[in-house]
Structures are given as structure tokens and as C-alpha cells.
Amino acid sequence: LEKEKMDAQMEKAKVISELEKHRLMYNKAEEEKQYFMKQIEKLENLLVHGGSKVNETEEFKKAMEEEREKILTATEQEYRDKLAKLEEEKKRLELEKEEMARQKDYFSKLRVDFKPDGHQETEEMKEKAIPLFKKPSLLKPNL
């Protein structure tokens, strides 16, 4: 029984040592994998981008600057368009205000000349009007 116990402990130690070896081999393989992945990335950068990172290349910087310019130009144009629309609206409102003032003056004048029967009396009508009753004239003799 003790011999079996000792054999089991020895077997356990062997299994543990084998597991430890496999764990070390796995860790080493992972480290190598990471190293080779970095090497591949460096080589790809050398081939594709002339040895520098993408965001450090002149082409990338130029493209970024062009995009910034496009965005700024679009924003400026948008601002100008909105400003033009506001100016048009301002002019339209000023014209409406002037028209309202003219109408107000016109209606004020109508109110002054308004007669209760609903007709408006103009200067021409006043001149043509025939009086119903003649005022006696003391200076001219009636013929």
C-alpha cells in the first residue's frame, strides 16, 4: 500500500513537471508569436509605406490637410449661405415694415375723410357738390 502511495506521488510529480514543461513551452511559443507578429508589421510598413508609419508619411499628412481644407471650405460656404439668407430675410422684413407704414398712413387718411353713410368724400367731390341750401349773400343781389 505504501509502495502504491509512493508510486502515485512519483507519478503525480512527473505529471506536474510535464505540465510545467508544457506551460513554459506554451509561454515561449506565445512570446515568439508576439515577436514575429511585430516583425511582420515592421516589414509590411517597410514595403507598403516606405519604412515609416502610415500617419507619419507625407502622403498621409497631405491627405489630412486636404480633408481639413475641404471641411473648412464647406463650413465657410455654409456660413456664407446662412448669412446671405439672413440678409435676404432682413431686407424682406424691412420692405414689409415700410409697406405696413404706408398702409397705416393710407388708412389714417381714410379715417379722417370717412362719412357716416360709408362713402369717402374727396376734394373733387367737395368742389362738385351742389349745396342743398344757398346761403344768402349780402354782397351780391339775388337775380
Side-chain angles (χ1 to χ4, degrees), residues 11 13 15 25 39 41 46 50-52 54 59-61 64 75 86 93 99 106-107 125 143:
E11 189 69 30
V15 169
M25 284 176 40
Q39 289 297 325
E41 185 178 339
L46 285 172
S52 61
V54 174
E59 294 85 19
F60 180 79
K61 289 177 182 177
M64 285 298 290
T75 304
L86 286 173
L93 289 173
E99 180 64 26
Y106 174 75
F107 288 125
M125 292 172 85
L143 296 174

Side-chain angles (χ1 to χ4, degrees), residues 5-20:
K5 194 175 185 184
M6 281 231 208
D7 286 341
Q9 285 179 349
M10 287 181 78
E11 189 69 30
K12 182 179 174 184
K14 279 184 186 178
V15 169
I16 290 175
S17 71
E18 285 294 318
L19 282 174
E20 187 64 28

Side-chain angles (χ1 to χ4, degrees), residues 2-62:
E2 265 194 43
K3 186 179 178 191
E4 287 178 11
K5 194 175 185 184
M6 281 231 208
D7 286 341
Q9 285 179 349
M10 287 181 78
E11 189 69 30
K12 182 179 174 184
K14 279 184 186 178
V15 169
I16 290 175
S17 71
E18 285 294 318
L19 282 174
E20 187 64 28
K21 284 179 188 176
H22 285 288
R23 187 180 61 81
L24 289 174
M25 284 176 40
Y26 176 79
N27 287 342
K28 186 177 180 183
E30 281 296 313
E31 288 174 5
E32 285 178 356
K33 178 183 173 186
Q34 293 298 323
Y35 172 77
F36 287 126
M37 292 300 287
K38 287 179 183 177
Q39 289 297 325
I40 290 170
E41 185 178 339
K42 285 179 186 177
L43 291 173
E44 283 178 346
N45 281 335
L46 285 172
L47 289 174
V48 176
H49 307 293
S52 61
K53 293 184 180 176
V54 174
N55 58 355
E56 293 175 356
T57 62
E58 283 300 315
E59 294 85 19
F60 180 79
K61 289 177 182 177
K62 186 177 179 182

Side-chain angles (χ1 to χ4, degrees), residues 71-86:
I71 291 169
L72 287 176
T73 303
T75 304
E76 287 175 7
Q77 187 61 41
E78 207 173 296
Y79 173 76
R80 286 187 196 118
D81 291 345
K82 287 182 181 181
L83 189 60
K85 285 180 184 178
L86 286 173

